[in-house]
Amino acid sequence: MALEEQQALVLERSKEQKLYLDVQHSTDWVVVISVIASAIISFIGFLITIYVVKKSTESQIKSNEDLIKSQNEIKVKELKTLYKQRRAENLRVIISEISSYGIGFLSNAKFRYLITKNIASLDNESLKMNYHQFENSITKVLSYIRPGEVLDEQVRKELFDLLDMATQLISCILGDKDCTDQLEELEYKLGYINASLNIFLINMLNEEAA
């Protein structure tokens, strides 16, 4: 009887031990699976983080590139506007020079012809100087003429005509000839070319503002 009880106890303990071992074995697998799942989730999260950071960086880079491009375009536009303003202002100054030197040359020519033409010893250097100043101012404005533009070509022709008239006038005066007609024609032409040049300037300003 005692032997049977002892065998039963051993059997009971054996079953408990087996149950314990089975439970322990099952728990180990749960832990392993949990660790693997956690690692996978962490890795996926890491990949998502990298993707988000990459996209954010790309977006920031694109935004910066667009900003730089926009700023450059604005700067270029400002420089072009400034260049056009200075160019127009320079032309305005040159037109003023043509009028001023033209009037100075005409006045000196009238004085030389009408008042002192009988003075043989008169120095003609001042008249020549006026002529060259007038000639230089006309040469300056020619650089603003755009080939092929109707108005520009018309202004070019008028400027050459004006310079030719001034050349003929100074030759007439220095040659002691009758220069009355040349003086009147040059005076009229100066007024006409001044108006044409101002129209030319206004057209240039309107085109640059468009």
Side-chain angles (χ1 to χ4, degrees):
M1 181 67 179
L3 180 58
E4 291 178 354
E5 290 178 355
Q6 185 176 3
Q7 289 177 347
L9 181 60
V10 171
L11 180 61
E12 183 179 350
R13 287 182 177 177
S14 177
K15 289 180 180 179
E16 289 176 356
Q17 184 66 26
K18 181 179 180 181
L19 179 61
Y20 170 78
L21 291 174
D22 288 343
V23 171
Q24 182 64 38
H25 184 69
S26 177
T27 302
D28 290 343
W29 274 108
V30 170
V31 172
V32 170
I33 292 172
S34 298
V35 171
I36 293 174
S38 177
I40 292 173
I41 292 173
S42 298
F43 181 69
I44 294 174
F46 176 69
L47 292 178
I48 292 174
T49 301
I50 292 177
Y51 177 78
V52 171
V53 171
K54 180 181 178 182
K55 286 296 182 183
S56 176
T57 303
E58 289 176 351
S59 176
Q60 185 64 38
I61 292 174
K62 176 113 177 21
S63 177
N64 291 339
E65 288 176 348
D66 291 342
L67 179 60
I68 293 173
K69 182 179 179 181
S70 176
Q71 290 176 339
N72 287 339
E73 289 176 351
I74 292 174
K75 190 65 177 178
V76 169
K77 187 176 181 179
E78 290 176 349
L79 290 175
K80 285 183 178 179
T81 300
L82 181 61
Y83 169 75
K84 290 176 180 179
Q85 289 175 346
R86 289 182 177 177
R87 179 177 169 83
E89 184 58 33
N90 289 338
L91 179 58
R92 196 193 310 275
V93 171
I94 294 171
I95 291 174
S96 177
E97 287 180 356
I98 288 177
S99 177
S100 177
Y101 290 141
I103 291 173
F105 171 72
L106 181 63
S107 298
N108 200 344
K110 284 182 176 180
F111 176 78
R112 173 67 178 81
Y113 177 71
L114 299 175
I115 300 176
T116 63
K117 61 181 180 179
N118 294 322
I119 303 177
S121 61
L122 181 68
D123 183 9
N124 294 308
E125 289 305 315
S126 63
L127 180 61
K128 292 178 181 179
M129 182 184 69
N130 290 147
Y131 170 79
H132 288 304
Q133 289 174 332
F134 184 48
E135 180 184 36
N136 289 336
S137 63
I138 290 177
T139 301
K140 288 179 183 178
V141 82
L142 288 174
S143 65
Y144 288 81
I145 301 298
R146 296 163 297 182
E149 294 289 333
V150 176
L151 178 60
D152 294 40
E153 294 296 344
Q154 181 180 346
V155 170
R156 184 204 300 273
K157 183 178 181 305
E158 291 173 356
L159 288 171
F160 278 125
D161 289 344
L162 180 64
L163 186 59
D164 185 58
M165 291 175 65
T167 303
Q168 291 181 20
L169 176 60
I170 196 171
S171 297
C172 181
I173 292 174
L174 296 179
D176 291 328
K177 299 177 182 178
D178 183 3
C179 306
T180 304
D181 291 341
Q182 285 92 329
L183 286 168
E184 292 178 353
E185 289 174 0
L186 182 61
E187 186 171 9
Y188 170 79
K189 191 68 174 180
L190 276 173
Y192 180 81
I193 194 64
N194 188 60
S196 295
L197 287 172
N198 280 292
I199 294 174
F200 175 65
L201 174 61
I202 291 172
N203 286 341
M204 176 181 288
L205 290 173
N206 290 338
E207 289 177 3
E208 292 177 348

